[in-house]
Amino acid sequence: MSTKLSKGQIGFWNCCGGLRSKFYFIKDFLYDVKPSLFFVSESELREHEIGVFSVSRYDLLTANTIANGGKSRVVCYVQSGIKYKQLKVKTNLDIIALDIEDSRIIGLYRGFKLNDGETRSSFFHTIIKNLHELSRTDRHLMIGGDFNVNLFKKTADLNDLHNWAIEFGLLQITDKYTWRRIINGVLHQSALDHVYTNEPGVELSHVNSISDHDILLTTKTFAQNHRRKIILRDWRGYTKEEAQIQLNDKLSQISTDIDEKQLTEALNDVLDELAPKRVIKVRTTQIVSQKLEKLKKKRDRKYRAFKKTKNNDYLVEVTTLNKEIKRTLRQETSKIFQDKAKSSDPKTFWQAVNQSLGKDTPRIFEIDSNGASLNNFEDIANCFADFFKDKVQKLSSAEVTEINLSTPTKPMRFSLQELERVFKNISSKKCFGTDGIPQNLLKDVFKCIPTTVLNIVNKFASEGLPDSLKEARVIPLHKKGSKTDVANYRPISNVCSLSKIYERCILQRLEAESPNLEGQHQHGFRQKHSTETALATLQSYIANILESKRPGIVYSVDLSAAFDLLKPDKFFELFKDDLSEGLMFSLMDFLQNRRFHVEVNGEKSRVLSLDRGCVQGSVLGPRLFSMYVGKLEEALVKINTNIKLISYADDSYVLITGETEDEVVSVTESVVDSHIRFLRDLGMVVNDSKTELMWIGRSTGPRPEVKIMGNTCEPVSFMKALGILIDGTLSWDHQAERAISTGQKLVSVFRFLRKQMTEEQFLKTVTANYYSSVFYCSSVWHPNIKAIYKAKLTSLHFRLLRTACRDFNSLLSRDQLSTRCKKATPNEWSKYTTASLAMRIHRDKCPRRLHEILMRTFYTERRNRGKGLFFDGSKSRAGRQSIQNRLAHIAQVTEPWSETGSNLTKDRLRVLLKSTYFLHNAIKGTVGDPAPQRVAPSVPLNIEKLNIDVLFD
């Protein structure tokens, strides 16, 4: 590979054997040569692998064959600075067509795999037909790729290509062999890779590669965006102790009482001295190795010798050197990963993992605005700011009246103990607001300034937040889709550190003064509540309806930008009688007169104001939203007292049952109409078309029609509730199939990543990215899925463990794998999480409704004092899935677990359950030893002396 090739070239290459086997070579080639576009044929890329095989500062494009679980056998790497438009190819072919400036660039791969009913001749004619359609343009054309047609052998296919090229005035510029292979000592050569163009003066270069095909490079250059330098803080010289010393020195020079401005200035001075700002450039190369460069030069010399002498011995040496280059590339990539992974900062390790998984956050270099391309960072920031504000204004239907409250006669006064509790619970994050002070700095120096911070917070409570602390620093976060479309970004607000502390103080007081304003149905942003408790409650409600043999309906309503539409005046109207004077003053001051600016790569937008919404980047904002919609249940129960409501933030699920289906429909229509009117009265925007409705149970005949706000609503067979798929019979087939599909994709990805990680690092990565995804809320659905699904999930689990141990020949038993990797099987983990949920509910008596459901069939075993049991009705009554009927396995817990209060702490609960359910925890075994046996429930365990390893750290 030559480094003298000019920038801005277009490359075409058949990698042979899939992108997975040649990825490190491709990555190194892109960093070395920096082509504008690089088409790779025979890539065999699936949709879930796009992130893994992406390359920094390149967009990875695929053909439409990747849809519906297929593979894209051609991909294209496009430099991020190039503005392009990908054309739609009508037929399901491995073709990528791009319009860039005044040119149309097409890369294709003619594979050997045929669709049903096709012949090689008909398949090739389909390709030619599509090329005819794509070639009808006034732009300059360039078409390249592996056509699987030998240019030096007359065939009917070659004649069709000549006719197409002549019709559109295209010149074929490949004039050398592009493929070669030695078979039984005989050299076979052909020219299967072609490049056609109608642009004069285009030159073509052949570059040797590690596959059987040459890389074909043309000399066309495209305009690229200017890259700016990025300013970051250098934390290498920062220490907690030095920060405290420096701050004490600066504050000692201030004679008066220190206010928030003086404290902010002092903290910024300390930050500038210990963690100064520095300018960095975006890294353009990752693999730097003298050994690698020497191997490339040696390989290129041998290849030139072969071209000159036609001696096959040189080609054999080139093949050997290509294998060595591939091996060295893999080693260098692993070395780079290990250098990052060995950092003392865990964040560095996870950044390296996310980069390997293709999850690293892309930097914004260009945005499309009204047909124009913006590449100035300040213009991009202003574009985002206008978009975020316009989006709220378009959704807003009613004006907001400002509420002016006088200074309270009895403002809130916080104690030092309350403030210390707040600082104990905040995390050491380096994100910052408009004040420039990261939260970790404020936490590190708090011991030096507790009284100062307390006085400042109490001043905020009596006088209100200063305007400077009401401004949020918004960072756009890419969600999905095109990186140049502002609609594909989510605004992430960063508020000032002192404001965060003040918010947490208010939140503590709010929970103490009015803990239940959200209603018992709300599970979001509350202690001892989660999506797991919400889904378990929903599951138990549906199970009870199924067992009653009565018809029922569950529906959900979709909201647009719900958090951004909270009206402060409506909030005041709802809670003016429920909250004290001082607390209401602080809440209204927090909600009103908010401002924000957007920041992109260090450049700031203009400052814009907001008259509604709650700050999503704060800890107080989401809780206020939960309160805002908390009176929903009260409004719905007025219509029908038998409805059940479960909410998580702005997601709500309402269950309705009755004696007949017609009765259920009648109640549902009135309840949904009232639900939508209630939300609209709050200023929310409801997407009527996205309202989902699902019948509970089976029906022998057609269901009656349901109308929502006068429009017929088609029921769904299953719905997505808080991230899992649930159906009306609680079969969980859809959720199990999705979990298996997700697991299969991730297993393939992780096997590729195992090459650059140690066993310990691999298991740590798998825990964070595989189990958390595949077994999300498994306590709700996994105990109830069919045995065949459980077997498949277990098989995937052990495939991962074999990958971790490199046991590709299945020499280790499953028990040995579990012991070595210290991982619970899916069935063990399911029992663990289900029992843990039940015990926490019993201990905390929270969530209250789920606790009531659970305790209906709870009793204490008389012969074993302190041992709680549940009645298991799942065997006698089919379909019963409420939580109390899924806990027959809890009898295995030999220690008392129904103790309450501080005795059953979080740590003790983990020890208790792991020693009961996890085979690798009950008895420590080693590889090669006989498989350990599970301890019988009657055998007493010395739990305190067990060596407990955390499963999901």
Side-chain angles (χ1 to χ4, degrees), residues 493-521:
S493 299
N494 291 278
V495 297
C496 300
S497 296
L498 284 174
S499 177
K500 286 183 181 180
I501 301 302
Y502 177 51
E503 290 172 36
R504 288 184 177 272
C505 290
I506 296 176
L507 186 59
Q508 280 187 166
R509 189 64 60 86
L510 181 62
E511 290 174 346
E513 183 177 312
S514 304
N516 296 315
L517 287 178
E518 303 95 328
Q520 293 299 323
H521 62 92

Side-chain angles (χ1 to χ4, degrees), residues 185-196:
V186 179
L187 175 65
H188 295 259
Q189 299 185 96
S190 63
L192 304 177
D193 307 279
H194 312 175
V195 176
Y196 297 86

Side-chain angles (χ1 to χ4, degrees), residues 65-298:
T65 52
I66 203 170
N68 301 320
K71 296 180 181 179
S72 178
R73 292 179 172 83
V74 62
V75 299
C76 181
Y77 289 93
V78 184
Q79 273 194 358
S80 300
I82 295 176
K83 182 177 175 59
Y84 63 87
K85 177 183 178 182
Q86 185 170 0
L87 306 179
K88 292 183 179 179
V89 179
K90 296 180 180 179
T91 316
N92 196 29
L93 295 173
D94 288 297
I95 296 177
I96 297 176
L98 306 174
D99 280 349
I100 305 174
E101 297 176 359
D102 62 345
S103 300
R104 176 166 293 178
I105 315 299
I106 302 171
L108 65 82
Y109 170 61
R110 177 195 177 187
F112 292 95
K113 185 177 180 180
L114 303 175
N115 297 325
D116 294 338
E118 282 187 333
T119 64
R120 288 189 57 79
S121 177
S122 65
F123 179 56
F124 185 73
H125 287 156
T126 303
I127 295 176
I128 293 295
K129 181 180 178 181
N130 276 267
L131 288 178
H132 271 78
E133 294 180 2
L134 293 171
S135 301
R136 293 190 178 97
T137 177
D138 295 332
R139 298 172 180 266
H140 294 302
L141 279 171
M142 182 176 291
I143 302 100
D146 183 358
F147 286 73
N148 269 309
V149 176
N150 192 348
L151 285 171
F152 303 138
K153 184 178 180 180
K154 293 184 178 180
T155 60
D157 290 347
L158 182 61
N159 187 55
D160 290 339
L161 283 174
H162 283 328
N163 292 335
W164 159 70
I166 292 170
E167 180 179 348
F168 292 97
L170 299 172
L171 178 66
Q172 204 294 116
I173 58 176
T174 306
D175 59 355
K176 300 177 184 178
Y177 290 120
T178 63
W179 175 90
R180 61 194 60 79
R181 181 180 298 173
I182 295 178
I183 303 175
N184 297 326
V186 179
L187 175 65
H188 295 259
Q189 299 185 96
S190 63
L192 304 177
D193 307 279
H194 312 175
V195 176
Y196 297 86
T197 182
N198 60 3
E199 189 172 0
V202 175
E203 298 180 358
L204 181 70
S205 303
H206 289 240
V207 178
N208 191 20
S209 71
I210 59 174
S211 80
D212 296 337
H213 294 253
D214 289 345
I215 298 174
L216 304 183
L217 286 171
T218 66
T219 56
K220 185 171 179 61
T221 304
F222 297 105
Q224 299 178 30
N225 291 326
H226 177 62
R227 296 288 192 262
R228 289 197 176 184
K229 297 175 182 178
I230 298 170
I231 301 175
L232 297 176
R233 285 201 178 273
D234 186 355
W235 289 92
R236 290 174 293 183
Y238 173 86
T239 63
K240 176 180 177 180
E241 295 75 16
E242 188 63 28
Q244 293 174 351
I245 294 172
Q246 293 270 8
L247 183 63
N248 279 330
D249 290 343
K250 295 185 181 301
L251 294 182
S252 63
Q253 302 172 14
I254 303 175
S255 57
T256 59
D257 291 337
I258 301 170
D259 59 19
E260 72 277 359
K261 291 183 179 179
Q262 293 170 323
L263 180 59
T264 300
E265 290 175 1
L267 288 171
N268 274 310
D269 291 341
V270 171
L271 195 61
D272 289 337
E273 290 181 16
L274 299 182
K277 294 180 180 179
R278 63 189 178 97
V279 178
I280 66 167
K281 295 180 179 180
V282 178
R283 199 170 195 175
T284 58
T285 180
Q286 290 183 327
I287 299 176
V288 180
S289 168
Q290 291 183 352
K291 178 182 178 182
L292 186 62
E293 293 304 315
K294 289 179 181 178
L295 285 171
K296 291 178 185 177
K297 291 178 181 178
K298 184 176 180 180

Side-chain angles (χ1 to χ4, degrees), residues 844-858:
D844 303 328
K845 297 183 180 180
C846 184
R848 192 177 80 183
R849 289 182 175 173
L850 197 54
H851 177 259
E852 291 171 355
I853 294 172
L854 186 66
M855 292 300 107
R856 286 173 194 160
T857 52
F858 167 83

Side-chain angles (χ1 to χ4, degrees), residues 27 44 78 81 115 126 157 199 217 273 346 428 436 493 509 527 539 631 679 724 745 783 902 931 947:
K27 195 173 183 180
E44 308 297 319
V78 184
N115 297 325
T126 303
D157 290 347
E199 189 172 0
L217 286 171
E273 290 181 16
S428 295
S493 299
R509 189 64 60 86
Q527 291 183 351
Q539 180 192 34
K631 296 184 183 292
L679 294 173
I724 69 172
K745 295 173 182 177
S902 59
N947 182 14

